[in-house]
Amino acid sequence: MKEHAIKLTILNQLADGSFHSGEALGEMLGISRAAVSKHVKGIQAWGVDIFSVQGKGYKLSEPMQLLDQAWLQSQVESPVELIPVIDSTNQYLLERINNLESGAVCLAEYQAKGRGRRGREWISPFGSNLYLSMYWRLEAGMAGAMGLSLVVGVAIVEALEKLGIEGIKLKWPNDLYYQDKKLAGILVEMSGQAGAAAHLVIGMGMNLMMANHEQSVTQNISQPWTSLSDVTQSAIDRNQLAATLINTLQNALNEYEITGMHGFVERWNRLDNFLDREIKLIMGNREVTGLSRGINEQGAVLIETAQGLETYIGGEISLRGLS
Ligand code: ATP
Ligand code: BTN
């Protein structure tokens, strides 16, 4: 069997949330109970909460809805690849960038090396969140990349709104926040420039049921965070959510290619988590404090300081709320 195939088969069985005996699982897979137990430990190391009861077998703490590649592909026009266990979906697309069509998507259930901005880790336990990357060939070239990254945030919040999920906001440049806590992060990476176009990989990690995980999984998250399960009481269909995000994102990126930031500034400012609130911009050793005033057509963040209205742009700036 292929690497991980046994673990994924066990997970498929356990996904219903009921007990499955080691014996039955072993029989199905043609392996011993001891081998099943070893694989279960491996699954637990992916951040899945499985417990075992003598005489009953193994059970997930919560049922799990797995992603369904065939269904997703039926909903999306561009190629969709589901690789359940991966190092990083962004890395995967970057390594194949010359052979991809614009809009191609990679999704995973678990990332061993999920990454955030500036090489930080993105905590990516199996099966409960979304880890999604899309390749985009941006005809406008590098000059358009800053705006594109803001458009991605707008598109993702608007996709959630389409599904009836309200109250999600943006933190410049492109994190999703709910009640001042991080719900999702976006990482746009570039792979050079052939001719005029820029080759971008847009990655998004969104917490759906992170709160169900044990503290050992989430303890390394270094800032306040939240999950979609804290935003809505309704059950979240992970496949429906992924398909809506992909399609809404592609529509917004196509629109951006035609109109640029026109229209997106207002859409971004409507969703600004810190609009008219006191913020701090951190740029290496330098800090600027003032009132947040949204973004401009260049995608720069506007801050009203004692010196007047100032604009800042660039990847090395961190924004923090002060009130
Ligand atoms: P900055 O504005 O300084 O760039 P950021 O919020 O964009 O801040 P990154 O530099 O992108 O942060 O680093 C990722 C941050 O996200 C880290 O603080 C990390 O601990 C946190 N993090 C990692 N995994 C998750 C997760 N699943 N949910 C929420 N936050 C996470
Ligand atoms: C951030 O730091 O806020 C950005 C986090 C981006 C995480 C996503 S998960 C899918 C894609 N693959 C990665 O390794 N990172 C991004």
Side-chain angles (χ1 to χ4, degrees):
M1 273 206 200
K2 264 170 76 181
E3 203 194 353
H4 308 311
I6 294 186
K7 291 185 186 64
L8 294 172
T9 310
I10 294 175
L11 270 169
N12 259 304
Q13 295 296 307
L14 296 180
D16 63 6
S18 56
F19 276 107
H20 294 262
S21 73
E23 199 176 352
L25 290 170
E27 249 168 48
M28 187 191 70
L29 289 155
I31 58 174
S32 67
R33 275 166 53 185
V36 170
S37 154
K38 212 175 116 202
H39 283 294
V40 166
K41 288 205 175 70
I43 298 171
Q44 286 166 328
W46 292 344
V48 182
D49 199 9
I50 303 181
F51 61 93
S52 64
V53 173
Q54 195 87 43
K56 284 187 153 181
Y58 301 102
K59 184 183 182 305
L60 294 183
S61 59
E62 300 279 336
M64 186 180 267
Q65 185 204 9
L66 295 168
L67 293 172
D68 180 341
Q69 159 142 15
W71 186 83
L72 285 166
Q73 189 62 82
S74 76
Q75 304 296 307
V76 173
E77 275 176 26
S78 56
V80 176
E81 209 173 345
L82 169 64
I83 302 179
V85 176
I86 204 168
D87 53 355
S88 149
T89 53
N90 262 34
Q91 184 62 29
Y92 182 84
L93 291 188
L94 281 170
E95 283 166 9
R96 287 155 185 80
I97 208 147
N98 293 326
N99 301 312
L100 297 171
E101 73 176 69
S102 198
V105 170
C106 174
L107 291 130
E109 294 282 19
Y110 169 76
Q111 297 186 116
K113 288 194 188 139
R115 58 179 182 238
R117 297 210 299 162
R118 282 169 260 161
R120 295 204 188 116
E121 183 188 9
W122 188 257
I123 309 285
S124 310
F126 190 101
S128 48
N129 300 325
L130 274 187
Y131 317 113
L132 187 159
S133 297
M134 183 186 290
Y135 165 62
W136 197 261
R137 186 189 146 95
L138 182 67
E139 299 302 334
M142 298 291 215
M146 179 68 213
L148 172 134
S149 111
L150 296 166
V151 165
V152 172
V154 171
I156 293 175
V157 179
E158 290 179 352
L160 294 171
E161 289 178 338
K162 263 190 214 166
L163 296 170
I165 300 168
E166 302 285 341
I168 312 297
K169 301 278 183 178
L170 291 167
K171 186 193 86 160
W172 187 89
N174 52 14
D175 288 344
L176 272 71
Y177 266 49
Y178 177 67
Q179 294 184 343
D180 286 341
K181 289 180 276 204
K182 186 153 168 167
L183 171 77
I186 293 160
L187 175 68
V188 180
E189 297 184 284
M190 294 181 206
S191 172
Q193 194 163 11
H199 298 269
L200 305 172
V201 171
I202 300 159
M204 189 223 55
M206 184 183 292
N207 298 330
L208 305 192
M209 278 164 290
M210 194 68 149
N212 290 348
H213 285 282
E214 287 184 358
Q215 220 232 331
S216 60
V217 174
T218 55
Q219 65 192 3
N220 288 335
I221 303 182
S222 59
Q223 56 177 296
W225 57 271
T226 187
S227 289
L228 217 48
S229 57
D230 296 329
V231 182
T232 169
Q233 303 306 313
S234 325
I236 301 154
D237 181 330
R238 294 175 74 224
N239 286 296
Q240 181 66 63
L241 176 59
T244 307
L245 286 174
I246 294 166
N247 288 326
T248 311
L249 184 53
Q250 290 179 347
N251 288 339
L253 293 174
N254 280 323
E255 190 184 338
Y256 176 66
E257 295 262 16
I258 298 164
T259 63
M261 283 301 277
H262 185 73
F264 281 106
V265 173
E266 292 73 26
R267 281 155 79 179
W268 200 96
N269 286 341
R270 174 180 76 88
L271 301 169
D272 185 350
N273 189 59
F274 291 103
L275 194 66
D276 301 331
R277 289 170 64 183
E278 213 177 354
I279 56 160
K280 177 166 76 175
L281 296 179
I282 308 161
M283 294 156 275
N285 294 330
R286 194 169 155 227
E287 287 188 1
V288 178
T289 307
L291 286 178
S292 169
R293 298 296 192 202
I295 61 163
N296 66 14
E297 289 262 342
Q298 281 68 50
V301 62
L302 308 180
I303 181 166
E304 196 174 317
T305 70
Q307 280 71 48
L309 195 63
E310 300 179 8
T311 59
Y312 291 88
I313 195 160
E316 296 300 312
I317 306 172
S318 293
L319 186 155
R320 295 286 177 266
L322 292 174
S323 57

